[in-house]
Amino acid sequence: MIPLLIGLVASLIGVVESIIKMAEHYGNYPGINAHTIVMLVVSIVGVIASLSARHIPKLSGVVMIICAILGFIFVTYSFLPTGVLLLLTGIIALCSSPEAGKRRMNA
């Protein structure tokens, strides 16, 4: 449950930041460039991975870590909060198991 919530919040922060960056104007051209497009795509993939964290935590953890690393490489400092949260959530999802959630629900 924790990877789902933290990953969803982190990814939605990334989506909102990328939309705000696209809406900004620097001089005569809008802020749509490769960095903002990569940030939007990585954040959307992070949303999908965080939504699947309850059913397949290992795969979603790996995908969230990859999204965080790609965000750190291709995007500027505006991806820092999203990237840190996605990295943390990916590690938590890798350490968790789907059986633990099922045991808690049955108890």
Side-chain angles (χ1 to χ4, degrees), residues 14 17-18 21 33-43 67-83:
E17 282 183 8
S18 63
K21 283 237 177 247
N33 55 17
H35 296 292
T36 55
I37 293 171
V38 169
M39 184 175 178
L40 183 64
V41 169
V42 166
S43 298
C67 286
I69 292 171
L70 286 175
F72 288 140
I73 292 173
F74 292 111
V75 183
T76 59
Y77 291 111
S78 61
F79 194 75
L80 191 62
T82 302

Side-chain angles (χ1 to χ4, degrees), residues 25-88:
H25 293 282
Y26 297 110
N28 294 329
Y29 61 94
I32 299 175
N33 55 17
H35 296 292
T36 55
I37 293 171
V38 169
M39 184 175 178
L40 183 64
V41 169
V42 166
S43 298
I44 290 173
V45 171
V47 167
I48 295 168
S50 65
L51 289 175
S52 65
R54 291 188 74 182
H55 303 290
I56 43 175
K58 305 292 183 197
L59 178 65
S60 64
V62 169
V63 170
M64 284 188 270
I65 290 173
I66 290 172
C67 286
I69 292 171
L70 286 175
F72 288 140
I73 292 173
F74 292 111
V75 183
T76 59
Y77 291 111
S78 61
F79 194 75
L80 191 62
T82 302
V84 169
L85 287 175
L86 275 177
L87 188 65
L88 177 71

Side-chain angles (χ1 to χ4, degrees), residues 5-19:
L5 295 176
I6 297 174
L8 194 59
V9 167
S11 300
L12 290 177
I13 288 172
V15 168
V16 169
E17 282 183 8
S18 63
I19 290 172

